[in-house]
């Protein structure tokens, strides 16, 4: 029997233990959270992506009366980065959220669709994108990587025929 032992990259930390770049990324995500348009859920989400040349592009969730047309903050940040020419150089993403029924100590992790899109960015950027997830107060922070949040992912290689 073959056992695969993978070392977990997931780390629980706090804002004060983040390095300068991680803290700045989370600050920008928090700022973007204020741009959230969420009249239906009342749940504001902000995200910020960091590119290889250390540019930061942020986004917020934008809801729609046709609920399914809503875009999450992480995907808003990624498409905005794409529009700025950063489709292949995303290395980190931070996410933070606030809602009236959301406990102030609970971190927000990207939803399944966002994980899928982060995975594609990771593949084309050639790196395992780091994901920084925070509670609304920036007290509890979790750091992980897309390979850990979306194991056995379906990605660009899944569409290639075997050579
Ligand atoms: N939302 C995000 O922005 N990111 C996620 O990863 C999860 C959910 C938004 C979508 C919707 O506007 C609100 O949170 C409630 O689901």
């Amino acid at each position: 029997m073959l056992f695969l032992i993978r070392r977990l990259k997931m780390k629980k930390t706090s804002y004060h233990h983040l390095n300068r770049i991680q803290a700045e990324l989370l600050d920008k995500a928090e700022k973007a959270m204020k741009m959230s348009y969420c009249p239906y859920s009342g749940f504001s989400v902000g995200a910020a992506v960091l590119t290889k040349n250390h540019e930061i592009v942020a986004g917020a969730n934008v809801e729609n009366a046709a609920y399914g047309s809503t875009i999450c903050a992480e995907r808003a940040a990624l498409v905005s980065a794409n529009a700025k020419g950063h489709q292949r150089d995303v290395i980190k993403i931070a996410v933070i959220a606030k809602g009236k029924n959301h406990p102030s100590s609970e971190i927000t992790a990207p939803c399944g669709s966002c994980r899928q899109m982060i995975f594609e960015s990771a593949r084309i950027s050639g790196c395992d994108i780091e994901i920084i997830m925070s509670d609304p107060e920036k007290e509890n922070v979790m750091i992980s990587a897309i390979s850990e949040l979306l194991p056995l992912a379906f990605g660009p290689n899944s569409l290639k025929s075997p050579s």
Side-chain angles (χ1 to χ4, degrees), residues 37-38 41 43 45 61-63 70-74 108-111 114:
Y37 171 71
C38 56
S41 71
F43 192 68
V45 189
N61 56 329
V62 178
E63 298 187 344
T70 291
I71 184 163
C72 292
E74 299 91 320
T108 293
C111 76
C114 291

Side-chain angles (χ1 to χ4, degrees), residues 50-55 86 88-91 124-127:
L50 180 74
T51 68
K52 282 177 186 165
N53 61 352
H54 285 190
E55 272 186 57
H86 298 298
R88 291 175 185 274
D89 56 4
V90 173
I91 56 177
I124 64 174
S125 300
C127 75

Side-chain angles (χ1 to χ4, degrees), residues 73-92:
E74 299 91 320
R75 281 179 288 144
L78 285 169
V79 296
S80 184
N82 182 74
K84 291 183 161 74
H86 298 298
Q87 42 274 94
R88 291 175 185 274
D89 56 4
V90 173
I91 56 177
K92 292 179 196 289

Side-chain angles (χ1 to χ4, degrees), residues 33-45 60-67 69-71 98-100:
M33 184 169 65
K34 299 193 174 87
M35 303 310 294
S36 164
Y37 171 71
C38 56
Y40 307 107
S41 71
F43 192 68
S44 310
V45 189
N61 56 329
V62 178
E63 298 187 344
N64 193 278
Y67 298 165
S69 301
T70 291
I71 184 163
K98 203 174 258 184
K100 51 183 182 310

Side-chain angles (χ1 to χ4, degrees), residues 70-148:
T70 291
I71 184 163
C72 292
E74 299 91 320
R75 281 179 288 144
L78 285 169
V79 296
S80 184
N82 182 74
K84 291 183 161 74
H86 298 298
Q87 42 274 94
R88 291 175 185 274
D89 56 4
V90 173
I91 56 177
K92 292 179 196 289
I93 184 164
V95 54
I96 181 167
K98 203 174 258 184
K100 51 183 182 310
N101 299 319
H102 183 72
S104 62
S105 59
E106 202 166 291
I107 66 147
T108 293
C111 76
S113 298
C114 291
R115 291 179 197 205
Q116 185 66 35
M117 202 157 144
I118 295 167
F119 181 78
E120 184 98 8
S121 285
R123 267 293 140 83
I124 64 174
S125 300
C127 75
D128 193 9
I129 294 178
E130 182 180 272
I131 306 180
I132 300 156
M133 299 159 279
S134 177
D135 72 1
E137 307 296 329
K138 294 196 296 186
E139 291 289 334
N140 301 309
V141 177
M142 189 91 89
I143 300 180
S144 187
I146 191 59
S147 61
E148 208 161 63

Side-chain angles (χ1 to χ4, degrees), residues 2-19:
L2 175 69
F3 288 99
L4 288 175
I5 301 171
R6 252 180 3 122
R7 236 165 70 89
L8 286 182
K9 291 177 187 162
M10 189 105 62
K11 197 171 101 182
K12 241 179 131 170
T13 183
S14 70
Y15 181 78
H16 302 286
H17 287 97
L18 297 178
N19 66 35

